[in-house]
Amino acid sequence: MSSSPTRDLTQGPIASTLLVFALPILAGNVLQSLNGSVNAMWVGKYLGEAALTATANANNIMFLLIGLVFGVGMAATILIAQSMGAKNLTQARVVMGSSATFFGGVSILVAVVGYPLSRHILQWMGTPETALPLAESYLRVIFLAMPLLYLFAFVSAILRGAGDTRTPFFFLLLVVVLDVILNPLLIFGLGPFPQMGITGAATATLISNAISFVAMLLWLYRRKHPLWIGSHELHFFQPRTAIIKALIVKGLPMGAQMVMISLAMLMVMTMVNSYGVETSSAYGAALQLWTYVQMPAMAIGAACSSMAAQNVGAGRWARVDGTARAGVLCNVLLTGALIAPMVLLDRQVLGLFLPTGSEALETARHLNHIAVGSFVFFGVTFVISGVVRSTGAVIPPLIILGLALWGVRVPVAHLLQPWLGMDAIWWSFPASSICAMLMSLGYYRWGRWREARMLDSSPQEGETVATPAEVGGQPPAPVCALRQPLAVQTPVPVPDKG
């Protein structure tokens, strides 16, 4: 792991620093996808179709619940990064404590409410009757694991805000390794372990996250991490109204973007299904590839958000712009490097997800050639949005995404079918991605995102607003600090040249 528990992203070469910072996030995304595939293999191959359907329905609920707090975690990341960039450690610990209290409370509430309602939620989703008992037993354990899943994601987000992506990756790797090992042991009852069937798959998730989360906390304690809050500093856990409000007001729009993407994909899937099984299976095979194609953009966008936020906190606006440029370049290179072999070797890679001799293969190749390039444009949007969000400007990216998906993608896919047939669906991907990119670049160039603030200018009693010095005439992004002596005094930033 890194020799230093935190990393200053306001210094050094921008492009190489960003790439090194983003790679563990990318590797973590790949790990989670592979883990899901391995777990689905155990359940589907050995427990049957009903069990696989049960886990699919329960996992949809789990991903939705995690997606709802995704944005809140991003808001915490930005607040921490701004504080660390301003060299204001007390401020960062205030954010850490208040956010931990918020996440802990929400996670327990979700578990307490969700556990007894598991069957009702699954019935509302239309889970098949044959899979309902299995899905309920699986989902109940997932709800018990939800506090661990939430808090693990929260601590990982906090560490990324402090400039550390390697530590969350290593502990995520521990989760995946334990999950892969425990799944067959608990499903089949190997050795001293009880035979739990599908419940064992959920229990493996609970145990692996519990062990890794406790190990992460012990690592923070043993390393005397700057953000660790000891037993004599419990006052940091007192919720600050301004911080909780920022987590909700700024976080929910970021989480809403994930929900909006999911709903648009469901709408497209409905259109695809109308063309029959062959087209649906072809689209499903392409989606398997696209899951991995979009990962570099998502990782670089998340890294850009943390890196830009530290520089916003430090008042180094030239480096904020440099982060955007480097992020776009890294996205084009990495995403392009993935797309090229998927086009040149499309018959082989798409064939991995379709039966031998399937007639759907040519349909999959055709739609992949049209749509896969759109992820380069999608990546530019994701990177620019990550930089823009670093100041607290979260509504414009949400509006841009809404216009691109529901004002371009869904209408193009639906309205052009009388002329283009099913190709209208595939062409809707590059059409919406290009529009989203152009709108994002336009807002980045002419929008007022530099004037956005993560916290209200009116603090609650006992708090004040620490405003980094203005640089180059650009407005600062204020962050919150307590009225007490700081562990690290905030120096006046030196303006960047140019």
Side-chain angles (χ1 to χ4, degrees):
M1 296 185 188
S2 175
S3 58
S4 174
T6 62
R7 182 169 187 172
D8 186 355
L9 301 176
T10 66
Q11 306 291 333
I14 295 176
S16 59
T17 300
L18 178 65
L19 186 60
V20 170
F21 187 67
L23 285 178
I25 302 177
L26 173 59
N29 291 341
V30 174
L31 269 180
Q32 288 178 307
S33 294
L34 291 175
N35 185 38
S37 299
V38 171
N39 291 349
M41 179 195 71
W42 284 116
V43 172
K45 192 170 184 179
Y46 295 100
L47 298 182
E49 294 178 351
L52 185 60
T53 301
T55 56
N57 279 271
N59 283 336
N60 280 335
I61 297 171
M62 179 179 71
F63 294 144
L64 174 62
L65 291 171
I66 292 175
L68 288 175
V69 298
F70 164 81
V72 180
M74 282 296 299
T77 300
I78 293 169
L79 284 170
I80 288 288
Q82 286 188 0
S83 302
M84 298 299 286
K87 303 297 187 292
N88 195 332
L89 184 57
T90 297
Q91 184 168 270
R93 288 155 68 83
V94 169
V95 174
M96 171 75 175
S98 291
S99 302
T101 301
F102 175 79
F103 268 85
V106 169
S107 64
I108 292 173
L109 179 64
V110 168
V112 170
V113 173
Y115 184 86
L117 295 178
S118 296
R119 175 175 285 265
H120 300 289
I121 296 171
L122 291 165
Q123 288 175 328
W124 175 76
M125 287 182 59
T127 304
E129 285 295 326
T130 54
L132 187 58
L134 295 171
E136 181 184 9
S137 63
Y138 182 91
L139 185 58
R140 281 177 176 265
V141 179
I142 291 298
F143 271 119
L144 293 178
M146 198 56 66
L148 294 166
L149 295 172
Y150 272 18
L151 290 172
F152 185 91
F154 162 69
V155 176
S156 297
I158 290 297
L159 292 176
R160 284 195 295 270
D164 181 7
T165 54
R166 295 181 64 190
T167 298
F169 167 74
F170 284 119
F171 286 104
L172 178 60
L173 177 61
L174 177 60
V175 170
V176 172
V177 170
L178 290 173
D179 202 14
V180 169
I181 293 173
L182 289 173
N183 255 280
L185 297 179
L186 294 175
I187 289 174
F188 307 115
L190 302 178
F193 295 92
Q195 183 177 354
M196 303 176 67
I198 192 171
T199 308
T203 304
T205 298
L206 189 154
I207 293 174
S208 59
N209 277 275
I211 292 175
S212 190
F213 179 62
V214 171
M216 184 187 291
L217 293 182
L218 288 175
W219 180 86
L220 292 172
Y221 170 73
R222 293 293 298 272
R223 291 292 301 271
K224 295 181 173 56
H225 195 281
L227 295 179
W228 176 260
I229 298 175
S231 58
H232 61 290
E233 302 170 312
L234 297 181
H235 60 277
F236 280 116
F237 288 110
Q238 177 186 344
R240 268 66 175 185
T241 303
I243 294 173
I244 302 301
K245 181 180 178 181
L247 292 177
I248 297 173
V249 173
K250 301 295 185 179
L252 289 183
M254 289 188 273
Q257 293 187 47
M258 306 299 291
V259 176
M260 193 178 294
I261 292 172
S262 298
L263 292 176
M265 292 301 290
L266 286 175
M267 183 66 71
V268 170
M269 191 75 230
T270 302
M271 297 181 200
V272 172
N273 287 337
S274 68
Y275 285 93
V277 174
E278 179 183 321
T279 304
S280 297
S281 59
Y283 181 61
L287 282 178
Q288 292 290 332
L289 296 185
W290 297 350
T291 297
Y292 293 95
V293 172
Q294 64 187 344
M295 283 183 180
M298 298 179 71
I300 294 168
C304 281
S305 194
S306 297
M307 188 168 181
Q310 279 203 17
N311 285 284
V312 167
R316 305 197 65 180
W317 290 92
R319 284 183 66 87
V320 174
D321 290 329
T323 299
R325 289 192 297 270
V328 169
L329 178 61
C330 289
N331 161 71
V332 170
L333 293 177
L334 290 179
T335 305
L338 280 178
I339 289 176
M342 289 186 180
V343 172
L344 297 174
L345 304 173
D346 58 344
R347 189 182 299 276
Q348 289 77 17
V349 291
L350 287 167
L352 295 173
F353 305 102
L354 292 169
T356 304
S358 172
E359 295 181 0
L361 180 59
E362 290 306 314
T363 303
R365 294 182 64 210
H366 173 70
L367 72 91
N368 188 59
H369 288 170
I370 294 173
V372 72
S374 65
F375 288 99
V376 174
F377 310 120
F378 161 82
V380 174
T381 301
F382 213 85
V383 167
I384 295 299
S385 296
V387 174
V388 165
R389 287 196 301 261
S390 69
T391 64
V394 296
I395 298 298
L398 177 64
I399 294 174
I400 289 171
L401 182 66
L403 290 173
L405 293 178
W406 294 96
V408 179
R409 178 172 296 181
V410 173
V412 165
H414 178 68
L415 298 177
L416 294 186
Q417 286 187 57
W419 292 276
L420 298 178
M422 72 174 70
D423 278 2
I425 301 175
W426 321 138
W427 282 110
S428 72
F429 282 86
S432 60
S433 296
I434 290 172
C435 288
M437 180 185 70
L438 294 176
M439 287 187 286
S440 296
L441 290 172
Y443 178 70
Y444 181 87
R445 174 64 178 84
W446 294 290
R448 302 179 64 182
W449 58 276
R450 291 176 178 82
E451 300 175 20
R453 299 164 183 241
M454 280 299 293
L455 300 177
D456 289 336
S457 57
S458 54
Q460 75 178 77
E461 183 178 356
E463 296 176 347
T464 186
V465 175
T467 306
E470 291 193 29
V471 176
Q474 298 290 357
V479 279
C480 180
L482 288 177
R483 282 180 179 160
Q484 58 179 295
L486 301 181
V488 179
Q489 297 297 327
T490 306
V492 177
V494 178
D496 287 292
K497 301 299 183 184

